Amino acid sequence: MRKLLTLSMALLLLSMISKAQLLNKLHPNNGFTESIAKVVENYQNNYLAIQGDSLPPDEDRDIFQSTIKVPGATECVIYRFHSEEDKTASWQALLYEGEDFKEASKVYKTAFKNLKQTKFKVGVSSYSFEGSMEDPTEALRFTSSILRPTNDSDLYKNFMAEIEIINTIVGWKVRLNLHSRKADTQRYQ
């Protein structure tokens, strides 16, 4: 009887763990999607409301901490470029940095999935992202997937979420960029 009770408890525990893992795979990481939604909504004000402390600048851009952090990211920053033509800022999160391609690929794919499930507001309307994922491969030095908002607002016309996996000399990086970029056909006219 004691063995049967122990076996029953073990099966019950295993069942609960399996169900929790399945639910985690089916539902987006709310902390991630909520944070990204706040950042995307702040794009309307060029990220000024979420700009934190100044960091050492690069030659052609000023760098600031973002006051909104994405769960799991080791760094969230805002870039302000020294451009006369384009004054929009860029927001970037470093989601992974390490030597394991399989782990980097998993982070890349999970971030893409969570971005597709992110809902954000422009005015009183709610929107999401659409796009297709480029599968990362160890043979390529760089893979990028671009998602664009489902809205037709002029403010978000050139806005995109770009997830990239990069092979560096010492390993892999996965970055998420939220920025504006004209299509190649618009840039060179």
Side-chain angles (χ1 to χ4, degrees), residues 130-145:
E130 60 187 6
S132 56
M133 184 176 67
E134 294 291 328
D135 280 325
T137 174
E138 232 173 327
L140 294 177
R141 191 172 166 269
F142 177 91
T143 303
S144 173
S145 293

Side-chain angles (χ1 to χ4, degrees), residues 36-161:
I36 293 300
K38 289 177 186 175
V39 173
V40 172
E41 290 165 3
N42 272 282
Y43 171 77
Q44 300 171 53
N45 298 313
N46 209 22
Y47 303 121
L48 288 171
I50 62 170
Q51 181 174 301
D53 294 336
S54 178
L55 298 171
D58 283 349
E59 184 176 311
D60 59 347
R61 63 187 178 183
D62 295 322
I63 307 170
F64 300 89
Q65 287 284 5
S66 171
T67 59
I68 296 177
K69 309 286 188 228
V70 174
T74 56
E75 175 183 275
C76 296
V77 296
I78 297 168
Y79 294 114
R80 297 202 177 282
F81 300 93
H82 302 160
S83 171
E84 294 297 320
E85 188 177 313
D86 185 4
K87 297 291 185 189
T88 58
S90 173
W91 184 92
Q92 184 180 91
L94 180 60
L95 303 175
Y96 177 83
E97 185 171 25
E99 296 177 10
D100 188 349
F101 173 77
K102 287 182 181 176
E103 185 63 26
S105 180
K106 181 179 171 185
V107 169
Y108 174 89
K109 290 175 181 179
T110 300
F112 183 88
K113 180 186 86 169
N114 286 336
L115 271 172
K116 291 228 19 161
Q117 296 174 352
T118 299
K119 307 285 186 237
F120 60 94
K121 291 190 180 290
V122 178
V124 295
S125 300
S126 183
Y127 299 97
S128 60
F129 287 106
E130 60 187 6
S132 56
M133 184 176 67
E134 294 291 328
D135 280 325
T137 174
E138 232 173 327
L140 294 177
R141 191 172 166 269
F142 177 91
T143 303
S144 173
S145 293
I146 295 174
L147 296 103
R148 294 200 179 264
T150 57
N151 70 14
D152 54 2
S153 164
D154 281 343
L155 183 61
Y156 284 85
K157 183 171 81 174
N158 297 315
F159 183 78
M160 67 175 64

